[in-house]
């Protein structure tokens, strides 16, 4: 079995035999797979009248557990966007009736963003359909192969996640 990456690697081996192109065998496949996954996810979101960013915010709230609420700061951390972007997203989700703002009982100046029942229904349905689609994508792998692949990808991803979570030095 040959794929597009095999052809790409072979072309580079012909054109630049002086370079070690083996990383392309893994990372080009990861990149191509990411694009295919993005298309599959977007198709699910369209079916549920959601944008990818809406799904990200709603699932962050849903994963938080009852009462399905987080501070805007926690949502920032969960979705990796700026505070201005998050404010805009919360405004739009609130206007759509998918979230509500409530005063934070721990901080008189703060607010909590809470998933509405409509938001919960929408995100639960979208998540179930997404999992169906993702199970289908992985159907060609045995459970052991899935576990192995997950472990290998985790090994590559952990340093990136650690770097994203470490505080950035400030300049005086």
């Amino acid at each position: 079995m040959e794929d597009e990456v095999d052809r790409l690697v072979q072309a580079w081996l012909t054109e630049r035999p002086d370079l070690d192109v083996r990383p392309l065998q893994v990372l080009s496949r990861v990149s191509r797979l990411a694009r295919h996954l993005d298309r599959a996810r977007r198709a699910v979101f369209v079916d549920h009248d959601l944008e990818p960013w809406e799904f990200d915010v709603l699932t962050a709230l849903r994963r938080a557990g009852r009462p399905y609420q987080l501070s805007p700061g926690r949502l920032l951390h969960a979705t990796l966007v700026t505070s201005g972007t998050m404010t805009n997203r919360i405004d739009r989700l609130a206007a759509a009736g998918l979230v509500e703002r409530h005063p934070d009982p721990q901080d008189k100046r703060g607010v909590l963003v809470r998933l509405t029942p409509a938001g919960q229904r929408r995100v639960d349905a979208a998540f179930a359909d997404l999992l169906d689609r993702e199970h289908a994508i992985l159907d060609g792998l045995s459970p052991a192969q899935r576990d192995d692949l997950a472990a290998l990808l985790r090994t590559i991803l952990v340093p990136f996640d650690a770097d994203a979570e470490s505080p950035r030095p400030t300049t005086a």
Side-chain angles (χ1 to χ4, degrees):
M1 175 170 38
E2 183 176 80
D3 68 1
E4 185 61 30
V5 174
D6 290 321
R7 290 183 283 279
L8 178 144
V9 167
Q10 188 54 52
W12 278 120
L13 287 171
T14 301
E15 293 300 316
R16 292 296 308 269
D18 58 311
L19 296 178
D20 180 4
V21 297
R22 286 179 293 182
L24 296 176
Q25 294 174 336
V26 174
L27 301 178
S28 290
R29 285 186 175 94
V30 169
S31 178
R32 291 177 64 79
L33 179 59
R35 282 186 241 132
H36 289 295
L37 290 173
D38 186 55
R39 287 182 189 145
R41 288 176 151 226
R42 286 180 184 275
V44 169
F45 301 153
V46 164
D47 290 346
H48 293 276
D49 195 27
L50 288 171
E51 293 291 331
W53 65 265
E54 291 173 310
F55 183 81
D56 289 345
V57 174
L58 297 175
T59 55
L61 292 167
R62 184 65 169 96
R63 288 190 314 267
R66 290 193 188 280
Y68 310 118
Q69 67 185 17
L70 292 170
S71 69
R74 294 286 306 269
L75 282 170
L76 285 173
H77 183 73
T79 60
L80 302 174
V81 298
T82 66
S83 60
T85 298
M86 183 53 66
T87 298
N88 180 274
R89 290 179 176 185
I90 294 167
D91 289 345
R92 291 172 65 183
L93 289 167
L98 302 175
V99 303
E100 302 171 323
R101 286 184 173 92
H102 292 274
D104 185 343
Q106 309 298 323
D107 177 0
K108 292 184 193 267
R109 295 175 296 148
V111 298
L112 294 171
V113 180
R114 184 178 302 159
L115 195 59
T116 64
Q120 183 179 342
R121 285 189 300 275
R122 177 98 53 96
V123 74
D124 283 354
F127 186 57
D129 286 353
L130 177 63
L131 287 175
D132 287 345
R133 180 80 52 108
E134 291 182 351
H135 278 288
I137 289 168
L138 295 173
D139 267 352
L141 300 176
S142 71
Q145 288 173 317
R146 291 178 193 197
D147 291 345
D148 290 345
L149 181 58
L152 291 168
L153 291 171
R154 182 182 306 107
T155 300
I156 295 170
L157 192 55
V158 162
F160 287 99
D161 287 346
D163 186 50
E165 291 179 10
S166 66
R168 300 284 182 233
T170 57
T171 56

